[in-house]
Amino acid sequence: MDLFDRLLRAPALAILAGVFVVSPPATLRAQGLPSVAAEPPIEQAWDSLLSDVIPQAPADKALTVPQPAPRRGSIDDFKNHFFFQGQTEYIRVETSFSGRPTPTGVINEPRGENADPDGIPAPEAFQPNSDHLYTFFNWGTRGWLSERVNTNFSFRYRQNLSQLEIGSPSLNVLNTFGSNRRLEMLSAFAEIRDLTPRGPLANSTLQVGRQYVYGAEPASLDGASLTLRQRFYTLTLFGGRRFTFYSNPDQRAMGGANLALRLTRSASLEYQTLYYIQGSHVVNFRKRFEPNWLLRARYKMVGGSPVDLGANVAYSTPDGRSVVRLGFFQKLSDKDFFYDYTLAARDLDSFNRLPRLYLGPIPPYSQVSASGSREVASRLRLGGAVVVRRLNDDADQDAFAASFEDYRVNAQVFPVGRIELLLEYHRRNVDRASPLGAMDFDDVSRSGETLVQDFSGEIRRAFGEGKLILSGGAFYRRMDLQNKYFFIEGERVFGFLGSVRYRMRHGASLYVDYSLDEDFLLYRPSIQRSHVLRVGGRWRY
Amino acid sequence: MRGSIALLLLSLIAGSVAIAQDAPAERLPEAADFFIHEFHATQLELDCSVCHLPTEEDSVVMARPGHDQCILCHEENYESDLTPQFCGQCHAEFPPSSNEDLLPFPFFKKQRAILFDFSHAQHVDPNARADAKTGFRADCTYCHQFDEEGIFAKFPGHVQCSGCHSKEAIAPNLTPVSDTPDCRGCHVPEEIENPGYTEDRRMIAAHVVSGVYVDLKFSHVAHFKARDAYSLDCTTCHYAVPTSTGLADLTLPKMLDCVECHDADKGLAAEFQMSNCSTCHIDAQTGVVPASHSRTVKPVFHTESFRFDHEERASELGAKCYVCHTNVTPSTTAENQCISCHQVMRPANHTARWSDAMHGKQAALDRTTCASCHTADTCVRCHNQLPRSHVPLPQFAAGAHAPLAMIEERACYTCHTFENTCGACHQR
């Protein structure tokens, strides 16, 4: 009797199972086979076969080849088990200015003793260019010294090579640190598999060190996680000290668990929880119906409050050429936790005098979505999606939350040879109440976008069996906005992207990325356009 | 009955030219419009056991029907009316001289498996027990035995099936005297012999059945030798098998699965690396390795929409993201390694003006997407820095902020509240 059978004894679960469990496997129905209820289970059949040493299946000499013992311990062995991957890029940002003052009247003139009739001189707001460095390293070992031990270390190094003044268009988070540089250890853990040769820890993994665990919330911690994989379940327990690069939270300790139950071969139930100031709990249910239908349902609680409820079903045709997804999502309350992580944790960093970035709670809403993609021909794939969101209560509308209808269509075309063309159109109609009724000075509940349209296209071509890849693209965004002072229609931003990638031997590649953005004319009249050039290399051993 | 069969066959051969008995043997065209099972088993409703008899007493191996079975109905043909069309149902030559010219079944497109469909999920050992002699999965090697060189994993026949299906309780029941209902539990011969029977069915490819590939060589035993060194098992490559419920989802290892070891594992000798074409190809080419043979090839399902919904795929048990995305390790699910990819793969909308002017509008539209990668302290840190628009601060605070506040009034309240800032001068 498997676990699912045992669970079915509970009446409440039996009702749930009745909803999800389907009729006999497709192959049985297709072949019109008689019921197999009276047959011995396949497990017993194999017991019988394998214990009798079936004469029809003698030991196959081809399978009894000697097994060479793996080499261990030598330096050569270390090289064989060592991996290294890295990426380094130089970034050049250039900003060209229109010559006009900013909306606040700031002009690109040196400060003088007397007031300037043209505006407020502040040349630091017109710093035209900046240079940056970004490096990411990931290295470790797989099976060195012991087949059961892996290690993984990853670091990120970023630096502003230019001295950026407060007010520069290129200011970034590095400027909030004294040296304008950051070396961050993203992960550093040792992983030990199969803690014991048999028993409950036989198929387990213990990770110790700095790591990320994704479950109810993304958890970054210095600590340990233990994963047990058994036939019917996978359980991960984790706990440790939260690490963060940008704040100094009062509370550090966090812990949680992820449990995945395999109810049947085609169904699983997952429970994920994280305790950090409050408890966050997620229940996921997945079931594959027939071979081509997949149902996923999700329920989330924060503390004692229900937060999210959602379900989606995906269907892919047997040939894999078409995929359709239908989804329903209900935001049950505004008790979200993730976005106010720092606020809940009380930030003690003296640099962070503002308590938070405040976008307000996400009010309850209902949302339905439908999306699909189809490989119409070998050289054409089409896709589209519709999302409709409705606030449960119109009075909950605010500057960052409103009802909307969102549409997306895209195409992937291979017109000639190895040219790949990607096209997408996206439109969002946001249903906002008229801002004219907002009377209070700080009432911004009706401010925001009313229409957003995005057009994007990308073309890519590979040469020399993928050794050289050229790509280029463009995007255009058009927006209508409103607040109690203005109705702004047709504000737009557009830009271009281009990249060259050259793949060398031994896992190394070079790349050059370029992007140009033409800014919103009304928002940043002083900035005309921005260019970013990235030159970098990736390599792995 | 016999007369009607004879008449039908005669009508099929109407117009043909009689061939003299002493003429040299002629190569016959393949029969294309007469389907022998469809006629005998479906139209005439003959039981399978009329024609298919055991090769020997008490054996479950069924022989191909011989003259002794055909003559039961076609006595007239054998006595006086042998024709190319009649003999051509089984023989490649006319007149047949021996059984050496027997045509394979089915006729079209080379050799085929004669199974209609098969669910591995129903048949594999749920305990995945290993064979003590070989260390490989006993259920796989029980059914798929190897040829003498250990190169080709053969298809199971009735001998292997009978290990279980000869037991009375197990349907379909396979015995020397099995009849049509049991036979049809596994076989639908009309489907196999007729290429137009159904439009959307899938059949096992000829090269899979025969093990004879065009310009490709593969040896199972060569991989068995490296079993311990690379922790190989049958399902390492044939990962789709244990959950496959039919031919539709039964996939053979793909090139990317080979790449997983042959392109990436540094412990593999140079002669077995992907760059050495002759490792796998008979007609070895030289030059650049095709893109499909490396990790740079993009899978079909990586469409535009995949950029938005890949989390779902990555969180599936057994997701194989690590095959291409080298920062993702196979021992942990891809879902737990988002950061590994996103450190080197930026979202496409993070362009030149993203950090300055554009990310705020995106966050206003869909902030939960931001939270996939960022926690709020990332945002807070930057927003504690004086924005470009606030420079120089004294003048900005004194009144220069007014036009910007009117255009983007909601932006003010992401950091300020009326009480702690605006209320000093303004009234509600």
Side-chain angles (χ1 to χ4, degrees):
Chain A
M1 181 184 291
D2 63 15
L3 181 62
F4 192 44
D5 293 331
R6 274 178 246 152
L7 286 172
L8 282 179
R9 291 184 171 181
L13 285 174
I15 296 169
L16 182 67
V19 176
F20 292 120
V21 174
V22 287
S23 46
T27 45
L28 281 185
R29 291 204 309 277
Q31 297 171 28
L33 291 185
S35 166
V36 294
E39 293 179 359
I42 191 70
E43 198 173 343
Q44 279 181 27
W46 281 112
D47 280 341
S48 167
L49 270 182
L50 299 176
S51 61
D52 292 347
V53 189
I54 304 303
Q56 294 95 327
D60 195 322
K61 65 179 182 181
L63 298 176
T64 55
V65 292
Q67 299 287 323
R71 294 169 296 161
R72 287 195 175 93
S74 70
I75 185 65
D76 288 343
D77 193 48
F78 174 78
K79 283 162 60 183
N80 288 336
H81 290 93
F82 176 72
F83 71 89
F84 178 90
Q85 298 161 94
Q87 170 175 320
T88 294
E89 67 182 27
Y90 160 79
I91 305 147
R92 169 81 172 176
V93 180
E94 289 200 349
T95 308
S96 55
F97 299 96
S98 62
R100 286 188 287 265
T102 69
T104 54
V106 173
I107 57 173
N108 187 13
E109 294 292 339
R111 288 188 174 87
E113 292 183 358
N114 301 318
D116 192 323
D118 295 330
I120 305 165
E124 62 271 25
F126 296 89
Q127 194 167 353
N129 51 52
S130 61
D131 303 279
H132 312 267
L133 183 70
Y134 175 89
T135 297
F136 173 71
F137 299 117
N138 179 205
W139 73 85
T141 57
R142 289 178 185 149
W144 181 53
L145 300 180
S146 166
E147 285 184 348
R148 299 188 294 116
V149 176
N150 299 329
T151 58
N152 194 308
F153 303 87
S154 59
F155 286 79
R156 178 172 65 185
Y157 178 74
R158 294 176 291 168
Q159 182 178 358
N160 287 339
L161 301 173
S162 309
Q163 183 63 41
L164 296 175
E165 304 292 337
I166 296 296
S168 165
S170 300
L171 273 186
N172 55 63
V173 73
L174 293 182
N175 296 95
T176 66
F177 297 95
S179 56
N180 293 335
R181 71 180 75 180
R182 292 289 289 164
L183 175 63
E184 294 163 344
M185 184 171 71
L186 300 171
S187 69
F189 61 83
E191 178 186 87
I192 307 168
R193 292 183 287 118
D194 304 336
L195 294 177
T196 56
R198 58 187 63 81
L201 296 178
N203 212 357
S204 58
T205 303
L206 175 67
Q207 274 192 7
V208 181
R210 175 161 291 191
Q211 59 196 293
Y212 290 82
V213 181
Y214 294 80
E217 313 281 350
S220 52
L221 56 99
D222 295 323
S225 64
L226 174 67
T227 301
L228 308 175
R229 294 182 194 84
Q230 296 297 322
R231 184 178 167 197
F232 291 118
Y233 68 88
T234 300
L235 172 66
T236 300
L237 302 168
F238 60 93
R241 180 181 185 271
R242 180 189 171 202
F243 74 87
T244 171
F245 302 117
Y246 306 110
S247 63
N248 180 20
D250 187 20
Q251 178 169 326
R252 293 278 189 177
M254 61 165 41
N258 296 336
L259 172 66
L261 293 172
R262 290 178 194 83
L263 303 178
T264 66
R265 286 196 181 115
S266 59
S268 67
L269 183 67
E270 298 164 21
Y271 170 67
Q272 301 165 334
T273 182
L274 172 74
Y275 284 92
Y276 179 68
I277 304 172
Q278 298 181 72
S280 188
H281 314 271
V282 172
V283 177
N284 276 318
F285 177 80
R286 292 170 206 252
K287 177 157 181 65
R288 191 169 284 283
F289 294 90
E290 310 288 336
N292 301 314
W293 289 89
L294 178 67
L295 169 77
R296 186 184 185 193
R298 184 173 191 268
Y299 174 69
K300 180 174 182 178
M301 291 176 65
V302 174
S305 305
V307 172
D308 295 341
L309 176 66
N312 63 60
V313 61
Y315 169 74
S316 63
T317 53
D319 60 8
R321 289 184 163 189
S322 300
V323 178
V324 177
R325 282 191 178 79
L326 301 172
F328 171 76
F329 185 85
Q330 177 72 52
K331 174 64 87 181
L332 300 167
S333 73
D334 61 359
K335 308 297 183 190
D336 288 271
F337 175 51
F338 64 86
Y339 212 77
D340 276 331
Y341 228 45
T342 309
L343 180 70
R346 289 177 51 210
D347 189 0
L348 303 178
D349 191 327
S350 59
F351 181 84
N352 291 338
R353 287 172 298 169
L354 290 172
R356 56 186 166 172
L357 169 72
Y358 188 70
L359 301 182
I362 302 176
Y365 64 81
S366 304
Q367 178 174 296
V368 292
S369 61
S371 66
S373 64
R374 167 78 179 157
E375 187 180 338
V376 178
S378 61
R379 290 183 168 272
L380 175 64
R381 297 173 196 158
L382 298 176
V386 178
V387 179
V388 178
R389 178 182 294 185
R390 287 283 172 266
L391 295 181
N392 290 4
D393 184 347
D394 287 340
D396 286 337
Q397 177 184 306
D398 68 30
F400 303 104
S403 301
F404 63 76
E405 303 91 45
D406 193 281
Y407 310 94
R408 191 181 295 276
V409 289
N410 52 54
Q412 191 170 14
V413 190
F414 300 86
V416 184
R418 292 182 179 178
I419 294 178
E420 181 182 0
L421 185 62
L422 302 167
L423 300 167
E424 182 167 86
Y425 171 67
H426 167 244
R427 177 189 177 103
R428 178 174 291 192
N429 298 328
V430 187
D431 305 325
R432 292 188 187 278
S434 169
L436 300 177
M439 301 304 291
D440 286 346
F441 181 83
D442 60 341
D443 183 358
V444 292
S445 64
R446 302 171 187 200
S447 301
E449 302 80 8
T450 53
L451 174 66
V452 180
Q453 294 178 90
D454 294 307
F455 304 87
S456 62
E458 186 179 347
I459 188 166
R460 207 159 30 210
R461 169 78 160 94
F463 298 89
E465 304 289 358
K467 283 184 81 73
L468 178 67
I469 300 173
L470 303 180
S471 68
F475 65 92
Y476 177 86
R477 167 169 280 193
R478 186 182 185 282
M479 299 174 78
D480 294 349
L481 301 106
Q482 67 175 29
N483 63 32
K484 57 180 175 276
Y485 306 107
F486 292 101
F487 286 94
I488 301 166
E489 290 191 354
E491 279 308 308
R492 84 286 181 276
V493 60
F494 66 90
F496 303 97
L497 303 161
S499 83
V500 181
R501 281 166 207 280
Y502 179 67
R503 183 165 54 93
M504 298 181 289
R505 295 184 75 86
H506 309 301
S509 62
L510 297 173
Y511 63 90
V512 178
D513 287 345
Y514 170 78
S515 70
L516 179 150
D517 284 13
E518 186 84 22
D519 212 354
F520 281 86
L521 192 60
L522 186 60
Y523 283 9
R524 297 283 190 276
S526 60
I527 293 178
Q528 194 164 33
R529 59 180 63 97
S530 302
H531 311 257
V532 175
L533 179 70
R534 297 173 192 270
V535 181
R538 289 178 187 164
W539 62 96
R540 64 184 165 90
Y541 169 78
Chain B
M1 174 68 110
R2 289 181 188 177
S4 63
I5 297 170
L7 278 173
L8 182 63
L9 287 174
L10 282 171
S11 66
L12 288 171
I13 61 174
S16 63
V17 180
I19 299 174
Q21 291 287 332
D22 56 352
E26 176 191 351
R27 197 76 190 167
L28 296 171
E30 283 191 2
D33 53 358
F34 177 73
F35 304 112
I36 200 164
H37 283 90
E38 196 274 335
F39 178 73
H40 290 89
T42 311
Q43 293 189 30
L44 302 183
E45 298 181 353
L46 295 180
D47 195 281
C48 304
S49 60
V50 172
C51 301
H52 292 282
L53 302 177
T55 51
E56 55 191 68
E57 193 176 355
D58 293 333
S59 172
V60 292
V61 179
M62 298 294 160
R64 187 171 178 160
H67 287 178
D68 290 345
Q69 283 74 51
C70 301
I71 208 167
L72 291 174
C73 299
H74 298 281
E75 188 178 358
E76 295 164 16
N77 294 79
Y78 284 95
E79 285 177 351
S80 60
D81 198 15
L82 278 180
T83 63
Q85 281 66 30
F86 178 77
C87 299
Q89 297 302 323
C90 297
H91 292 274
E93 295 178 349
F94 185 82
S97 54
S98 69
N99 61 4
E100 290 180 0
D101 69 338
L102 282 175
L103 292 165
F105 175 81
F107 294 133
F108 75 99
K109 289 186 178 176
K110 304 177 185 175
Q111 190 178 354
R112 292 283 185 177
I114 56 174
L115 216 56
F116 164 61
D117 210 339
F118 184 81
S119 168
H120 279 88
Q122 272 187 288
H123 287 82
V124 292
D125 177 8
N127 292 329
R129 278 165 283 205
D131 183 346
K133 297 190 187 74
T134 63
F136 284 88
R137 281 185 65 135
D139 50 353
C140 302
T141 52
Y142 173 79
C143 295
H144 296 278
Q145 297 182 14
F146 290 83
D147 60 7
E148 288 188 356
E149 290 79 31
I151 291 174
F152 175 54
K154 293 186 286 192
F155 273 56
H158 277 186
V159 173
Q160 285 75 34
C161 302
S162 68
C164 292
H165 284 274
S166 61
K167 292 171 182 167
E168 197 171 341
I170 298 182
N173 198 231
L174 174 59
T175 67
V177 292
S178 289
D179 53 11
T180 295
D182 283 316
C183 299
R184 285 191 175 277
C186 299
H187 301 287
V188 185
E190 299 87 343
E191 176 99 356
I192 299 295
E193 69 187 354
N194 182 354
Y197 189 80
T198 57
E199 293 297 329
D200 58 352
R201 82 204 181 299
R202 186 176 169 192
M203 300 181 71
I204 300 173
H207 60 264
V208 178
V209 182
S210 65
V212 179
Y213 293 79
V214 177
D215 189 30
L216 200 62
K217 56 184 177 182
F218 180 85
S219 168
H220 279 92
V221 74
H223 290 78
F224 295 151
K225 287 177 181 172
R227 185 193 75 203
D228 288 345
Y230 294 95
S231 301
L232 293 177
D233 197 355
C234 305
T235 51
T236 307
C237 302
H238 296 280
Y239 49 84
V241 165
T243 55
S244 164
T245 55
L247 293 185
D249 59 1
L250 181 61
T251 53
L252 279 173
K254 302 178 183 67
M255 183 64 70
L256 280 176
D257 298 307
C258 308
V259 169
E260 190 180 332
C261 292
H262 286 270
D263 188 41
D265 198 293
K266 290 168 286 297
L268 210 59
E271 63 185 294
F272 299 122
Q273 295 281 353
M274 214 73 185
S275 52
N276 179 19
C277 305
S278 63
T279 302
C280 301
H281 291 286
I282 298 162
D283 181 17
Q285 301 290 313
T286 56
V288 182
V289 178
S292 63
H293 291 43
S294 70
R295 291 165 184 254
T296 55
V297 66
K298 201 163 66 169
V300 173
F301 59 87
H302 281 33
T303 58
E304 271 295 277
S305 57
F306 187 75
R307 287 181 177 175
F308 297 95
D309 57 31
H310 65 275
E311 180 266 339
E312 192 174 302
R313 295 294 287 260
S315 62
E316 280 187 15
L317 295 171
K320 294 176 78 73
C321 312
Y322 63 86
V323 173
C324 300
H325 299 281
T326 52
N327 282 327
V328 180
T329 54
S331 57
T332 312
T333 58
E335 187 192 28
N336 280 340
Q337 302 174 76
C338 309
I339 193 168
S340 303
C341 275
H342 285 283
Q343 282 302 323
V344 292
M345 295 173 70
R346 224 176 279 108
N349 59 6
H350 287 30
T351 59
R353 303 287 296 146
W354 179 255
S355 62
D356 180 32
M358 293 169 71
H359 76 280
K361 291 161 189 68
Q362 186 66 37
L365 289 170
D366 188 9
R367 68 183 107 157
T368 51
T369 304
C370 308
S372 303
C373 297
H374 303 286
T375 49
D377 56 357
T378 316
C379 318
V380 169
R381 184 86 194 182
C382 249
H383 279 264
N384 267 282
Q385 191 168 230
L386 201 62
R388 176 173 180 261
S389 59
H390 288 39
V391 173
L393 188 59
Q395 288 88 337
F396 181 80
H401 64 274
L404 185 62
M406 291 175 74
I407 296 169
E408 274 192 295
E409 60 170 355
R410 68 173 176 175
C412 306
Y413 297 107
T414 57
C415 294
H416 304 283
T417 63
F418 181 85
E419 287 74 16
N420 73 12
T421 313
C422 317
C425 302
H426 297 276
Q427 289 186 333
R428 276 205 172 99

